[in-house]
Amino acid sequence: MIRLGVIGTNWITDRFIEAALASGKYQLAAVYSRTMEQAKAFAAKYDTAECFDSLETMAASEAIDAVYIASPNSFHAPQAKQFLQAGKHVIGEKPLASNFTEVQDLIDVAQQNQVVLFEAMKATYTPNFYAMKQALTKLGKLRKVYLSYCQYSSRYQKYLDGENPNTFNPAFSNGSLMDIGIYPLSTAIALFGEPNSFTAQGALLDSGVDAHGTLVLHYRECDVVVCHSKVSDGIIPSEIQGEQGTLLVDFISECHGVKLHRRGEPVVDLSVAQDENAMRYEAEVFAELVESQQVDHEGLLRSQIVSAIITQAREIIGVRYPADKL
């Protein structure tokens, strides 16, 4: 059993703990919060023995083997580095870091300390993602791909009301591309690899983060359009078009369903049974990497490519974070 510590006491941490415990590979051993009172209140739901309000103390603790990081984006890299240097395995919520420089630094530190670093990108580990990937050969030569994830933020009204929620504050390395666009972008890279080039557009809010935008990834014979938004809801499925057929994918961030449309043939539903909590699959993959001590794994290359594209795209559209200056 992997003794897991968690940083962050929000709903997404609850979801990951639920997924990790359901996998049968973890025990929750420690909880960190900025206050001991909040850490104890969160841990009480799980009968957890150790609570911390000091990251330094938690990183040095013998009570944990690995840590799950679900703090605001700008904290991901410095917190991950602290635990990697302490010899702990790290699964960090997406995005793994604020920019490419931080991602590369984390990978170097993980390899120096021979511990596993893993980006929690659930979209690329679900059973339906693999069903989609296997079905690509049925499409013939690929020509057009449209991957869309647009979700109206529950905190957008607070922003419109003049408040300053973290999700629209550049100090926390937020925005549509970092929070939402990373899902379809990571899926594209997992399916098709690094593009030959790309273009980027985005609409900025007065706070300095992007409200929505579009990436176009250019491959030799195919273009992949990545649409993302935090200020509107998307309803239509994503599409992968080939000369012989098309795949429709519902809710690309979790791949809820996959259907194959081949010209002149009946529609085939390729969807497979999938846990309601899609985080279970990333938890299982991380556990396998830790158990096998596989420090160098394919997920790291994908994280590098995705972060490099996002970092360059932000330069193009004009989104700057304080972390970029460090």
Side-chain angles (χ1 to χ4, degrees):
M1 298 286 280
I2 297 170
R3 298 173 302 163
L4 181 70
V6 297
I7 297 175
T9 52
N10 49 38
W11 69 269
I12 197 169
T13 309
D14 271 320
R15 290 286 282 172
F16 184 79
I17 292 171
E18 173 190 315
L21 296 181
S23 75
K25 296 178 179 291
Y26 299 85
Q27 66 181 71
L28 183 61
V31 172
Y32 165 84
S33 184
R34 286 173 294 177
T35 68
M36 185 62 72
E37 181 181 22
Q38 189 170 350
K40 288 181 177 179
F42 186 88
K45 296 181 289 185
Y46 302 99
D47 297 323
T48 303
E50 297 282 346
C51 291
F52 297 88
D53 59 3
S54 164
L55 285 174
E56 183 178 4
T57 303
M58 183 175 173
S61 172
E62 294 296 325
I64 64 171
D65 306 305
V67 65
Y68 168 73
I69 299 176
S71 51
N73 294 347
S74 59
F75 298 142
H76 289 180
Q79 290 175 347
K81 186 172 183 177
Q82 187 169 7
F83 280 80
L84 293 170
Q85 289 175 326
K88 311 300 184 186
H89 306 289
V90 171
I91 175 170
E93 261 307 325
K94 58 80 198 166
L96 192 58
S98 295
N99 53 52
F100 177 75
T101 300
E102 288 187 342
V103 168
Q104 189 58 57
D105 181 51
L106 291 180
I107 292 173
D108 291 342
V109 173
Q111 294 179 342
Q112 288 164 10
N113 289 274
Q114 286 298 289
V115 286
V116 176
L117 172 67
F118 184 84
E119 184 169 28
M121 177 47 65
K122 62 183 178 180
T124 57
Y125 296 103
T126 63
N128 278 319
F129 169 81
Y130 291 113
M132 171 176 55
K133 188 172 184 177
Q134 290 174 356
L136 292 180
T137 58
K138 302 179 184 296
L139 303 182
K141 185 176 291 186
L142 295 181
R143 290 304 192 184
K144 290 290 183 183
V145 180
Y146 301 92
L147 304 180
S148 177
Y149 184 24
C150 300
Q151 181 173 287
Y152 189 92
S153 171
S154 61
R155 294 180 178 85
Y156 186 46
Q157 189 58 51
K158 290 185 177 181
Y159 174 81
L160 294 176
D161 291 340
E163 298 181 36
N164 190 27
N166 291 359
T167 48
F168 293 99
N169 185 341
F172 294 97
S173 302
N174 285 112
S176 182
L177 182 54
M178 289 284 275
D179 293 338
I180 297 292
I182 191 172
Y183 284 104
L185 175 59
S186 294
T187 298
I189 301 307
L191 291 174
F192 312 118
E194 186 173 6
N196 297 324
S197 62
F198 73 91
T199 55
Q201 293 179 314
L204 272 58
L205 298 172
D206 290 341
S207 68
V209 304
D210 52 324
H212 67 88
T214 304
L215 296 175
V216 182
L217 311 181
H218 305 288
Y219 295 86
R220 189 169 66 88
E221 296 181 314
C222 176
D223 286 340
V224 177
V225 179
V226 173
C227 297
H228 58 91
S229 175
K230 293 188 73 173
V231 296
S232 60
D233 285 320
I235 299 172
I236 62 173
S238 294
E239 270 192 349
I240 303 176
Q241 300 177 8
E243 292 185 356
Q244 297 175 18
T246 298
L247 283 175
L248 293 184
V249 185
D250 288 328
F251 200 52
I252 198 68
S253 71
E254 294 188 1
C255 297
H256 283 172
V258 182
K259 291 183 178 180
L260 172 64
H261 296 247
R262 279 174 58 92
R263 191 174 302 103
E265 299 179 11
V267 176
V268 180
D269 190 344
L270 302 177
S271 307
V272 294
Q274 192 165 286
D275 197 303
E276 182 272 334
N277 186 344
M279 300 176 85
R280 175 167 181 168
Y281 305 106
E282 65 186 25
E284 290 176 343
V285 172
F286 178 62
E288 290 169 4
L289 294 173
V290 170
E291 290 165 355
S292 63
Q293 293 291 307
Q294 193 173 340
V295 174
D296 189 12
H297 57 90
E298 66 176 12
L300 293 179
L301 176 59
R302 185 158 65 242
S303 294
Q304 286 177 303
I305 295 171
V306 169
S307 183
I309 291 173
I310 290 179
T311 302
Q312 293 173 51
R314 287 197 297 103
E315 285 288 329
I316 293 169
I317 65 177
V319 175
R320 307 284 189 273
Y321 300 141
D324 295 333
K325 302 174 183 177
L326 299 179

